[in-house]
Amino acid sequence: MTPEGHRPTETAEELAEFRTQLRRFVDREIAPFVDEWEEVGEMPREIYRKVGEMGVLGLGYPEAYGGMPASLTMRSVAIQELARAGCGGVFVCLFTHSIFAQPMLALGSEEQKQRTLPGVFSGEHIAACAITEPSGGSDVANLRTRARREGDEFVIDGEKTFISNGMRADFYVVAVRTGGEGAGGVSMLLVERDRPGFTRTRLRKMGWWSSDTATLHFDGCRVPVANLLGREGAGFRTLMENFNGERLMMADEACAFAEVCYDEAADWARERRTFGVPLVKHQVIRHKLVDMRMQITATRAWIDRCTARMDTGDRSEEFVAELCMLKVMAGRTMQSCADQAVQILGGMGFMRGMRSERIYRDVKAIMIGGGAEDILKELASKKLGL
Ligand SMILES: Cc1cc2nc3c(=O)[nH]c(=O)nc-3n(C[C@H](O)[C@H](O)[C@H](O)COP(=O)(O)OP(=O)(O)OC[C@H]3O[C@@H](n4cnc5c(N)ncnc54)[C@H](O)[C@@H]3O)c2cc1C
């Protein structure tokens, strides 16, 4: 989110109307197809365009680059509605562009922004952000992929892994080492998919099947110096900023998936009969559902509070700690609700095609990606001065 893209002024009616439109779209164009996309391991490319046409991909970004000014509350509505399809794979396909857009807006030149962002926000182009390496993702300051300067080009050597949209992105922002050891040597480069020396390998995963996740290989890959985002050594700080928005988004997504689990389990408990009565008439089942509702309600309230704080532009240390803790909490809410839902669904909960089964598999991507729990708790403790 950028200050220029902010417009925290929607009325309750505007938000409700947006929610209704998006819900209809998800019910018509996404939810009926997610099982099929999961099995074939791909969400069709045209879905990016359809979601882009609705303005969803550009929400909260500057109009000058094809975005649509909006509050984070409006983006939160979009996250919740797209998550109602109960498919983390689809979600990550559609929202990974946000971790590309943030460093591009923060550091990119006017030419770089005009060349990449309008197509990404319209869904015409796909974007990825490559930070994690096979040697580790948590310790970003020590990344090893190197870009050395040769005349008016950078030559990149190294590997990135677990990269969302990695196989089919058109544009990548890639964190590279252009300088010495540590955080100060990290820079961001724009890499287009057809650069010689840049290849990709698809990865198979526990969950998020319909999303494409890849290892990226850079073997003497050359990009012009004009592809550097900002100045050399500016990458680390921008990446840290990027993570704050990503944590809030992932928390919102996790809570929305927890709600999907609750809905599926509650519907099932009303329909399914054992010992002559619907499941929901057994006190222990009702209490499981109430436990889920309590966790969801508390997490949702915290998300709303953080969304409002972020909309005010709060970037305090204490707020960064709160975002770290929120993402941990939301991941656990999702995990616990998926677990309870699968249990209530019984054997059906173990079957493909049930949303809770998929969410049960998807949850680990939330708890590891975008900062694993241990790392986030450690960062929170530092920001809290512990
Ligand atoms: C499906 C998926 C999609 C992803 N998409 C992207 C993407 O688009 N772009 C991208 O750049 N990355 C992406 N990632 C990578 C993700 O951000 C990393 O997996 C994550 O940051 C952790 O890095 P790692 O896997 O190398 O684990 P490691 O850094 O090796 O850590 C392994 C475990 O050890 C713990 N640990 C590490 N250090 C410490 C410590 N000091 N104290 C205590 N515990 C510690 C961690 O919490 C973790 O549980 C994705 C990952 C997944 C699973």
Side-chain angles (χ1 to χ4, degrees):
M1 290 289 136
T2 65
E4 314 95 87
H6 266 194
R7 192 179 69 100
T9 54
E10 300 95 4
T11 61
E13 289 74 28
E14 282 175 319
L15 289 172
E17 172 60 21
F18 178 67
R19 188 185 286 281
T20 305
Q21 276 185 17
L22 204 47
R23 184 164 294 195
R24 283 200 199 114
F25 173 82
V26 170
D27 288 346
R28 194 180 62 237
E29 304 274 355
I30 296 184
F33 308 106
V34 291
D35 286 339
E36 186 189 325
W37 298 342
E38 284 280 289
E39 295 299 333
V40 298
E42 194 167 284
M43 184 194 81
R45 210 175 159 115
E46 64 174 305
I47 299 299
Y48 291 92
R49 293 194 196 99
K50 287 186 176 176
V51 175
E53 268 170 31
M54 299 190 73
V56 172
L57 302 181
L59 274 184
Y61 296 112
E63 281 176 302
Y65 308 114
M68 188 168 105
S71 67
L72 284 166
T73 304
M74 190 142 186
R75 192 191 65 169
S76 178
V77 169
I79 290 168
Q80 290 165 40
E81 291 306 316
L82 283 163
R84 276 186 64 255
C87 184
V90 166
F91 191 93
V92 73
C93 282
L94 292 172
F95 280 102
T96 290
H97 75 292
S98 64
I99 52 172
F100 171 93
Q102 193 276 343
M104 181 56 74
L105 281 163
L107 293 178
S109 67
E110 191 56 26
E111 185 278 325
Q112 288 168 345
K113 289 189 251 192
Q114 289 292 357
R115 184 152 56 94
T116 59
L117 292 176
V120 169
F121 294 149
S122 71
E124 193 61 34
H125 293 136
I126 297 174
C129 175
I131 305 164
T132 306
E133 304 190 342
S135 59
S138 303
D139 190 3
V140 177
N142 284 312
L143 60 83
R144 297 176 187 175
T145 295
R146 188 155 270 293
R148 65 175 194 283
R149 180 106 187 230
E150 273 189 15
D152 53 7
E153 289 179 320
F154 280 107
V155 184
I156 314 169
D157 284 292
E159 275 188 333
K160 296 286 172 184
T161 197
F162 312 144
I163 306 308
S164 302
N165 281 345
M167 290 303 290
R168 59 182 181 179
D170 301 286
F171 298 115
Y172 300 74
V173 285
V174 183
V176 293
R177 184 163 302 286
T178 52
E181 295 300 300
V186 175
S187 302
M188 302 294 285
L189 284 176
L190 170 65
V191 180
E192 300 88 347
R193 68 171 291 110
D194 52 2
R195 291 281 169 195
F198 176 25
T199 54
R200 298 158 281 269
T201 311
R202 185 180 294 277
L203 295 169
R204 286 161 56 81
K205 319 185 280 296
M206 175 194 283
W208 283 11
W209 292 347
S210 49
S211 80
D212 115 52
T213 312
T215 297
L216 316 182
H217 315 272
F218 299 95
D219 300 303
C221 169
R222 288 174 181 270
V223 297
V225 167
N227 277 22
L228 178 70
L229 269 63
R231 57 173 179 79
E232 276 188 48
F236 187 78
R237 203 186 149 85
T238 302
L239 285 175
M240 293 303 114
E241 263 288 303
N242 201 6
F243 289 143
N244 290 329
E246 187 184 19
R247 284 168 198 142
L248 180 59
M249 176 179 280
M250 289 181 82
D252 213 337
E253 170 193 1
C255 189
F257 286 133
E259 291 188 49
V260 170
C261 291
Y262 172 85
D263 288 345
E264 191 169 56
D267 287 348
W268 180 263
R270 289 189 187 100
E271 293 294 320
R272 181 79 167 175
R273 295 177 75 85
T274 66
F275 302 96
V277 290
L279 275 182
V280 77
K281 292 291 173 200
H282 301 298
Q283 188 182 47
V284 73
I285 299 287
R286 284 202 303 276
H287 286 198
K288 275 190 210 291
L289 289 165
V290 169
D291 281 340
M292 291 162 80
R293 208 61 252 166
M294 288 193 301
Q295 293 171 63
I296 291 166
T297 306
T299 308
R300 174 59 58 204
W302 197 5
I303 290 167
D304 289 348
R305 185 172 97 150
C306 286
T307 302
R309 265 182 95 172
M310 197 119 166
D311 255 338
T312 65
D314 191 339
R315 297 293 182 272
S316 65
E317 300 275 285
E318 187 268 326
F319 184 47
V320 173
E322 198 161 317
L323 290 170
C324 292
M325 295 185 293
L326 173 68
K327 177 173 173 277
V328 173
M329 164 96 168
R332 289 184 182 181
T333 297
M334 176 176 166
Q335 186 183 42
S336 165
C337 289
D339 185 41
Q340 296 294 352
V342 168
Q343 198 69 26
I344 291 171
L345 289 159
M348 265 322 273
F350 202 68
M351 297 297 131
R352 298 256 277 273
M354 299 307 285
R355 289 175 297 167
S356 302
E357 180 268 343
R358 185 162 51 234
I359 292 169
Y360 187 91
R361 283 188 285 101
D362 285 350
V363 70
K364 276 295 170 189
I366 297 275
M367 298 176 90
I368 294 168
E373 277 205 1
D374 317 283
I375 299 300
L376 293 183
K377 283 201 267 181
E378 191 55 20
L379 181 57
S381 70
K382 283 190 187 131
K383 298 286 180 190
L384 292 172
L386 298 172

